[in-house]
Amino acid sequence: MLKGLGSALKKATDKIAGAIFIDQKLIDSVATDLQRALIQADIDIKLVSELTNKIREAGKSKIKGIEKKEQLIKFLHDEIQALIGKEKQELKLSKKDKILFIGLYGTGKTTTIAKLAKYYKKRGKGVALLGLDVHRPAAPEQLEQLGKQIEVPVFIDKQEKDPIKIYEKLKTQIEKYDLVLIDSAGRAALEKSLITEIKNISKTIKPTHTLLVLAADIGQTAKKQIQTFKESCNINGVIITRMDSSAKAGGALTACAETKAPIYFIGTGEHMQDIETFNPKNFISRILGIGDLETLIEKVKSATDEKKQKQIQKRAEKGELSLLDVVEQSKSLGNMGGLDKIKSLIPGFGAIGNKIPERILDDQEKKVKKWEHIVKSMTPEEIKTPELLEKQTSRISRIAKGSGTTTTEIRSLLKQYKILKDLVKSGKNMSDMADLSQGLSQKQIMKLAKKFGKKKMMRF
Amino acid sequence: MFKKLKEKLQGFFKENEEYVKQSVKEPTKIEKKPEEEQIKEQILKQTIEKVQEAEKKQDGLFKGMKKKFGLIKINQKKLNEITEKLEVLLLENNVALEVSDEIKEKIKQEIQDKEISKREFSEKIREIIKQTIKEILVEPFDLIEKIKQYKNQNPDKPFIIVFFGINGSGKTTTIAKIAALLQKNNLSCTLAASDTFRAASIEQLEKHAKNLNLRTIKHDYGADPAAVAFDAIKHAQAHKLDVVLIDTAGRMHTKGDLLREMEKIVRVTKPNLKIFVGESITGNDATEQAKKFNESIEIDAIILSKADIDEKGGTALSVGQITNKPIIYLGTGQNYTDLEPFNKEKLIERLGL
């Protein structure tokens, strides 16, 4: 995600920092590089030329030496920050909310709604889904199936073709929920009949929020779409989806900043947990490879089960850590959306992370699944004290046969067990030991990143 | 689609013509003026202003000479101005950077430091752009013709088409439109619900099938997409159907596993056509998407959906250039008939070239 833009920014900063003289030539080359990177990130051409002109202007200032370098680098960061937006904007919900989702065809409205329902359900809201997409075939079914998956009630009418009538019919039933997420049909901002329809829906429902769902790979059309939707439908926020593609999302992000439409969430994958709140500042540090601890901790918190974590910790303190705990622990990592999702969040991982091929990260998730099978082929004794296996290696080949895995896979599980044990041990000794259930502490994460990185590096 | 790009191109040509008109009277002095700022819009304005200014104090002798020869030489600076202006215009209309670079390079090669008759100048640039677009876009084939030909040669084997693309690009809708088109041309077909991942994707395809009175071959969610496709082909063979249309799950070109799943579908079905369905509103990422899909399974043709949303149209150029594969249709709306054959000549005509 946004790798190209991040590396271009880093290159520009390095160029300035590494230069002996800051002359017009250097500034020009930095500006040209940056211009290309920004254009490739789909950022509005006018904004790009404004920015590069500003940089050229800033390069002319009379300050000399190191101060000028610092000033230029800071200037660069500030300008990019201004492009993407500064403050994190939170979607403020009251006790009863109705959120209407609109957007172009195929941007991921329905998927986003289900993700958000899961997100808010985890945070204790009584959530319901209402399907008003009467145009696309099987749209109600899609919502229905997703609702089943995340265990959230879904209100749809498969026969009725008038969204307003559907709403009138289901109105009383949805009233008792804290948060109703409303799906609507995909539409182009320039299509009059569909815009009138959504206006009427909006008038009848009176949603507390209307959110526009936008795909990250939208090109130079982004601004126009946002503006038109803003004018016609009164949207008060944006969710950007498909952030996991190679798209630079520059068009969508900057268009939002420009039209002052706050971005509340970003969608980062096709699974239900793949949604994050959007914080422009952290986002920039993430694309620059600095990491984003805040989001990571939030993810860890929402993915891990507090009770289970406390149990694991207690057992670990007593020296009773079992293999089941290891599997549980690794699974919750999977709940965060897999390692490739969180690697950009870990500080210091950016540099190592790029060296790990995607394939390996995919494999990691599969590995965890195999671990489950392995544990199921073990005797209760072996699960409790895995050290047994190291003493009697014949047990390993028995388990391998029983679970349909290889001995290497079993050994990798044992290794993981050791790492977790060490981690808990070292955590105990640390003065600032964090409660595992409160998420991992910064130090622990760094350590984990180091360990993980090392292990992978050794393989290559 | 293409409306915007056309407007912009027309404006661009006009400005070039203006420039030629004025440069006839322009003394060479102008060229030695100090470097202007890089803001493209301003550059042209400034140049024009300066030319007009210079016109007032122009040298009669000079004028005569220029007129006599009727030639202008485009120096590098002026050329850069022209190409940069063209670049902004292309980029604004969703043409990817790589593609616009190619067009720019071509123009440079053709006219830099060459003496060109003033009458030909604007025409020349127009010609180059036209030529470049012609080269970028591969001539589309007639899908129906192709299927009919195949049918004559292989009466027992169905023609197999698989559709690929990223999430939400409009694969299922496009398949329904193609199915309707086949029916219109008296070709029978069946649909394979190989998208076994997205919620209600099977139902979506089934509803289309019901509307069009077709059969959908399906398994459960989570089933192997290749197996579904295989069954559909067997079904088509048994019932002597002409075409099998295979719907697949949307996949990001960044996910290795999903790309390999797609490779498996191709391996198992051995399709006659692999069609990439892209969105015409995608920006620079369009090249990346098309490239990755093409690398993974080597696509045969492209259909661009959502052409009704966007009036820019640059994505067609980007995708065409990067894959070197023909764009065969444009999706232009929500109805089954909203499928427009992509016509290269017509596009060039529509761009006013």
Short mmCIF file of all heavy atoms in Angstrom, two decimals, chain A residues 224-246:
data_model
loop_
_atom_site.label_atom_id
_atom_site.label_comp_id
_atom_site.label_asym_id
_atom_site.label_seq_id
_atom_site.Cartn_x
_atom_site.Cartn_y
_atom_site.Cartn_z
N LYS A 224 -14.11 14.83 -8.59
CA LYS A 224 -15.40 15.15 -9.15
C LYS A 224 -16.50 14.31 -8.50
O LYS A 224 -17.58 14.81 -8.15
CB LYS A 224 -15.39 14.91 -10.66
CG LYS A 224 -16.63 15.45 -11.31
CD LYS A 224 -16.50 15.48 -12.79
CE LYS A 224 -17.71 16.19 -13.37
NZ LYS A 224 -17.76 16.09 -14.81
N GLN A 225 -16.22 13.01 -8.34
CA GLN A 225 -17.21 12.13 -7.71
C GLN A 225 -17.53 12.60 -6.29
O GLN A 225 -18.69 12.67 -5.90
CB GLN A 225 -16.71 10.69 -7.70
CG GLN A 225 -16.68 10.02 -9.06
CD GLN A 225 -18.08 9.71 -9.59
OE1 GLN A 225 -19.04 9.64 -8.85
NE2 GLN A 225 -18.19 9.54 -10.89
N ILE A 226 -16.50 12.88 -5.52
CA ILE A 226 -16.73 13.31 -4.13
C ILE A 226 -17.55 14.60 -4.11
O ILE A 226 -18.51 14.73 -3.35
CB ILE A 226 -15.40 13.50 -3.38
CG1 ILE A 226 -14.65 12.18 -3.29
CG2 ILE A 226 -15.64 14.04 -1.97
CD1 ILE A 226 -13.31 12.28 -2.64
N GLN A 227 -17.14 15.54 -4.95
CA GLN A 227 -17.85 16.81 -4.96
C GLN A 227 -19.32 16.64 -5.30
O GLN A 227 -20.19 17.18 -4.63
CB GLN A 227 -17.19 17.76 -5.95
CG GLN A 227 -16.22 18.70 -5.27
CD GLN A 227 -15.39 19.46 -6.27
OE1 GLN A 227 -15.40 19.16 -7.46
NE2 GLN A 227 -14.66 20.45 -5.79
N THR A 228 -19.56 15.87 -6.37
CA THR A 228 -20.96 15.72 -6.80
C THR A 228 -21.77 15.01 -5.73
O THR A 228 -22.90 15.40 -5.44
CB THR A 228 -21.06 14.93 -8.12
OG1 THR A 228 -19.85 15.07 -8.83
CG2 THR A 228 -22.20 15.42 -8.95
N PHE A 229 -21.20 13.97 -5.15
CA PHE A 229 -21.91 13.27 -4.09
C PHE A 229 -22.13 14.18 -2.89
O PHE A 229 -23.16 14.13 -2.23
CB PHE A 229 -21.13 12.02 -3.64
CG PHE A 229 -21.47 10.78 -4.42
CD1 PHE A 229 -20.51 10.10 -5.13
CD2 PHE A 229 -22.77 10.31 -4.44
CE1 PHE A 229 -20.84 8.95 -5.85
CE2 PHE A 229 -23.11 9.16 -5.15
CZ PHE A 229 -22.12 8.49 -5.85
N LYS A 230 -21.15 15.00 -2.64
CA LYS A 230 -21.26 15.91 -1.50
C LYS A 230 -22.41 16.88 -1.70
O LYS A 230 -23.20 17.14 -0.79
CB LYS A 230 -19.94 16.68 -1.33
CG LYS A 230 -19.54 16.78 0.13
CD LYS A 230 -18.24 17.48 0.31
CE LYS A 230 -18.15 17.87 1.78
NZ LYS A 230 -17.04 18.75 2.06
N GLU A 231 -22.46 17.40 -2.91
CA GLU A 231 -23.52 18.37 -3.20
C GLU A 231 -24.90 17.72 -3.20
O GLU A 231 -25.83 18.24 -2.61
CB GLU A 231 -23.27 19.03 -4.56
CG GLU A 231 -22.27 20.15 -4.48
CD GLU A 231 -21.63 20.42 -5.83
OE1 GLU A 231 -22.27 20.12 -6.86
OE2 GLU A 231 -20.48 20.90 -5.84
N SER A 232 -24.98 16.56 -3.86
CA SER A 232 -26.31 16.00 -4.05
C SER A 232 -26.79 15.20 -2.84
O SER A 232 -27.98 15.18 -2.55
CB SER A 232 -26.35 15.14 -5.31
OG SER A 232 -25.40 14.12 -5.21
N CYS A 233 -25.92 14.56 -2.13
CA CYS A 233 -26.37 13.65 -1.08
C CYS A 233 -25.91 14.05 0.31
O CYS A 233 -26.15 13.33 1.28
CB CYS A 233 -25.90 12.24 -1.34
SG CYS A 233 -26.30 11.67 -2.96
N ASN A 234 -25.21 15.17 0.39
CA ASN A 234 -24.86 15.64 1.71
C ASN A 234 -24.03 14.64 2.50
O ASN A 234 -24.27 14.42 3.69
CB ASN A 234 -26.16 15.89 2.47
CG ASN A 234 -26.10 17.21 3.18
OD1 ASN A 234 -25.02 17.80 3.26
ND2 ASN A 234 -27.22 17.68 3.68
N ILE A 235 -23.04 14.06 1.87
CA ILE A 235 -22.23 13.07 2.60
C ILE A 235 -21.41 13.78 3.66
O ILE A 235 -20.99 14.91 3.48
CB ILE A 235 -21.27 12.29 1.67
CG1 ILE A 235 -20.36 13.25 0.90
CG2 ILE A 235 -22.05 11.41 0.72
CD1 ILE A 235 -19.15 12.59 0.34
N ASN A 236 -21.23 13.13 4.80
CA ASN A 236 -20.37 13.78 5.80
C ASN A 236 -19.14 12.96 6.15
O ASN A 236 -18.48 13.18 7.15
CB ASN A 236 -21.15 14.15 7.06
CG ASN A 236 -22.03 13.02 7.53
OD1 ASN A 236 -21.95 11.92 6.98
ND2 ASN A 236 -22.83 13.25 8.54
N GLY A 237 -18.80 12.02 5.29
CA GLY A 237 -17.57 11.29 5.52
C GLY A 237 -17.33 10.27 4.43
O GLY A 237 -18.21 10.00 3.62
N VAL A 238 -16.12 9.72 4.42
CA VAL A 238 -15.72 8.82 3.36
C VAL A 238 -15.05 7.58 3.96
O VAL A 238 -14.40 7.66 5.00
CB VAL A 238 -14.72 9.52 2.40
CG1 VAL A 238 -14.25 8.57 1.31
CG2 VAL A 238 -15.35 10.75 1.79
N ILE A 239 -15.27 6.43 3.32
CA ILE A 239 -14.53 5.23 3.67
C ILE A 239 -13.82 4.78 2.40
O ILE A 239 -14.43 4.71 1.34
CB ILE A 239 -15.47 4.11 4.15
CG1 ILE A 239 -16.14 4.56 5.44
CG2 ILE A 239 -14.71 2.80 4.36
CD1 ILE A 239 -17.18 3.58 5.96
N ILE A 240 -12.52 4.55 2.49
CA ILE A 240 -11.78 4.14 1.30
C ILE A 240 -11.49 2.65 1.37
O ILE A 240 -10.95 2.16 2.36
CB ILE A 240 -10.49 4.96 1.17
CG1 ILE A 240 -10.87 6.43 1.03
CG2 ILE A 240 -9.69 4.51 -0.04
CD1 ILE A 240 -9.73 7.35 0.84
N THR A 241 -11.89 1.95 0.30
CA THR A 241 -11.73 0.49 0.29
C THR A 241 -10.61 0.09 -0.66
O THR A 241 -10.04 0.93 -1.34
CB THR A 241 -13.02 -0.19 -0.18
OG1 THR A 241 -13.32 0.31 -1.49
CG2 THR A 241 -14.18 0.11 0.73
N ARG A 242 -10.34 -1.20 -0.69
CA ARG A 242 -9.31 -1.77 -1.55
C ARG A 242 -7.93 -1.16 -1.30
O ARG A 242 -7.14 -0.97 -2.23
CB ARG A 242 -9.64 -1.55 -3.03
CG ARG A 242 -10.85 -2.31 -3.48
CD ARG A 242 -10.85 -2.37 -4.99
NE ARG A 242 -12.18 -2.27 -5.52
CZ ARG A 242 -12.47 -1.72 -6.71
NH1 ARG A 242 -11.52 -1.23 -7.46
NH2 ARG A 242 -13.70 -1.68 -7.14
N MET A 243 -7.67 -0.82 -0.05
CA MET A 243 -6.36 -0.24 0.25
C MET A 243 -5.26 -1.30 0.21
O MET A 243 -4.09 -0.99 0.37
CB MET A 243 -6.38 0.40 1.65
CG MET A 243 -7.09 1.72 1.71
SD MET A 243 -6.30 3.01 0.75
CE MET A 243 -5.26 3.73 1.99
N ASP A 244 -5.63 -2.55 0.03
CA ASP A 244 -4.63 -3.61 -0.01
C ASP A 244 -4.10 -3.84 -1.41
O ASP A 244 -3.22 -4.65 -1.63
CB ASP A 244 -5.20 -4.92 0.54
CG ASP A 244 -6.50 -5.29 -0.14
OD1 ASP A 244 -7.22 -4.37 -0.56
OD2 ASP A 244 -6.80 -6.48 -0.26
N SER A 245 -4.62 -3.12 -2.39
CA SER A 245 -4.12 -3.31 -3.74
C SER A 245 -2.83 -2.52 -3.88
O SER A 245 -2.35 -1.91 -2.94
CB SER A 245 -5.13 -2.81 -4.76
OG SER A 245 -5.09 -1.42 -4.83
N SER A 246 -2.29 -2.51 -5.08
CA SER A 246 -1.07 -1.74 -5.28
C SER A 246 -1.41 -0.27 -5.50
O SER A 246 -0.54 0.54 -5.73
CB SER A 246 -0.31 -2.29 -6.47
OG SER A 246 -1.12 -2.21 -7.61
#
